[in-house]
Amino acid sequence: MDAFEILLSASFWVAAIRIASPLIFATMGELICERAGVLNLGIEGIMTAGAFAGWFTVYSGGDLWTGVLVAALAGAMFGLLHATLTVPLGLSQHVVGIGITLLATSLTYFTYRLLLPEVTSPPKIEPFQPVAIPGLSDIPVIGQALFNQTPLTYLAFATVALTAWVLYRTPLGLAVRAVGESPSAVEAQGISVTAIRIGAVMVGSALMAIGGAFLTMSAFNSFFFEMINGRGWIAIALVVFGSWRPGKALIGAILFAAFDAYQVRLQQFSGGVVPYQIFLMMPYALSILALILVARRATYPKALMIPYQKGER
């Protein structure tokens, strides 16, 4: 199989969709936050906390879906802290976000060492298994890639559809988008800007945490340090790449995942002639290039990162 034939293989696209799944959760979470006018830089730490919370719940005897729920609740709590500091108190979203990342990451590592002091290698759990959809999974290439995945991957794609539907087809979604564009107009309609923003950040943070939980409960079967590996920052870039639209952000997540899966396979063809760091760099370099090309035309929420106090005009 040559370098081009890789792109036509079912195993390549299965891997790409699997790599994209946690990014999809995280990107949708960040998109909801930013649509409401709040930049959530706590995403990396929230994903780490979600990865640990979900895994440890299952390791302690809970079932897999309980682990997903616990991860979401953990993310929502960090989201509540972030929103409380940035929305009613109006503190810097950049500083608070970085603080949340440091807090969530450090607290997770401390809790891991506290609960498992004698562990030298990460304990394993029984993760979600692929579920083939009858008929659809038999379609060449596409069937294996899209219809023979774990339940969390199906949930990731459903999250994109649900996010798009809520944002563009419901009064709640209209309120969220309006808060990110003109909070004073929302307040004039008797709607609480603070409540909408806090709710959006909590929901978005819960999705970020589920993205982290995907790694420990679907992609892998254990928790280890540094497993998030910058996925949170990539999700922030994907929101910009997608122009704050769920569908475009989904395409961006799949493209990045495809680049990532491709570089792993290209390393096998190089035979060690090309340093492996070059291949590791490729997805990120291509992402930066895509951002440069797309960001100039992107229309961001007008009230993004702008604190709002009741009664302001």
Side-chain angles (χ1 to χ4, degrees):
M1 181 182 292
D2 59 30
F4 178 75
E5 288 177 339
I6 291 175
L7 298 175
L8 303 178
S9 67
S11 61
F12 167 76
W13 287 106
V14 168
I17 296 299
R18 184 174 63 249
I19 294 171
S21 297
L23 292 175
I24 293 171
F25 281 118
T27 302
M28 291 302 107
E30 183 66 29
L31 186 147
I32 291 171
C33 293
E34 294 191 21
R35 271 294 191 173
V38 180
L39 175 66
N40 191 346
L41 294 182
I43 181 171
E44 190 84 358
I46 291 171
M47 290 183 72
T48 301
F52 175 76
W55 168 81
F56 190 75
T57 298
V58 178
Y59 177 70
S60 300
D63 61 70
L64 290 168
W65 287 111
T66 301
V68 173
L69 177 60
V70 171
L73 290 174
M77 290 301 99
F78 281 109
L80 177 60
L81 176 60
H82 185 290
T84 300
L85 294 173
T86 57
V87 179
L89 298 182
L91 301 182
S92 169
Q93 295 179 11
H94 295 90
V95 174
V96 171
I98 296 298
I100 293 294
T101 282
L102 295 175
L103 173 64
T105 302
S106 301
L107 186 60
T108 297
Y109 295 163
F110 173 76
T111 305
Y112 180 92
R113 291 304 185 191
L114 183 66
L115 297 175
L116 302 168
E118 305 298 329
V119 169
T120 56
S121 60
K124 300 183 184 301
I125 63 171
E126 186 64 31
F128 283 102
Q129 298 300 314
V131 177
I133 298 179
L136 295 177
S137 61
D138 296 328
I139 301 173
V141 182
I142 296 177
Q144 285 294 311
L146 294 178
F147 304 112
N148 190 22
Q149 297 282 355
T150 66
L152 281 185
T153 294
Y154 299 135
L155 181 61
F157 282 89
T159 298
V160 177
L162 180 61
T163 300
W165 179 75
V166 171
L167 285 177
Y168 296 104
R169 293 290 186 270
T170 67
L172 176 60
L174 177 61
V176 170
R177 289 186 289 123
V179 162
E181 296 289 343
S182 179
S184 59
V186 174
E187 185 187 24
Q189 297 299 316
I191 301 174
S192 172
V193 173
T194 299
I196 292 293
R197 284 187 168 179
I198 290 177
V201 173
M202 290 182 67
V203 171
S205 298
L207 290 177
M208 296 171 191
I210 294 175
F214 179 94
L215 295 173
T216 52
M217 299 169 60
S218 189
F220 306 107
N221 59 0
S222 61
F223 174 82
F224 52 90
F225 300 151
E226 308 298 336
M227 72 182 312
I228 302 303
N229 195 28
R231 287 178 174 85
W233 310 126
I234 291 298
I236 294 174
L238 289 173
V239 173
V240 180
F241 176 85
S243 301
W244 289 267
R245 294 182 177 274
K248 291 183 178 180
L250 169 64
I251 294 173
I254 294 175
L255 285 176
F256 177 85
F259 292 150
D260 200 8
Y262 194 53
Q263 63 87 10
V264 172
R265 286 155 177 78
L266 282 181
Q267 290 185 44
Q268 301 172 5
F269 287 96
S270 71
V273 176
V274 181
Y276 74 93
Q277 291 90 345
I278 298 295
F279 296 105
L280 292 176
M281 179 186 69
M282 284 178 54
Y284 300 94
L286 291 171
S287 298
I288 292 173
L289 177 61
L291 277 177
I292 293 173
L293 297 175
V294 173
R296 294 180 179 179
R297 300 191 299 272
T299 303
Y300 63 90
K302 297 296 188 296
L304 180 61
M305 296 186 292
I306 300 176
Y308 180 80
Q309 298 296 329
K310 187 174 181 180
E312 286 184 355
R313 291 291 184 269

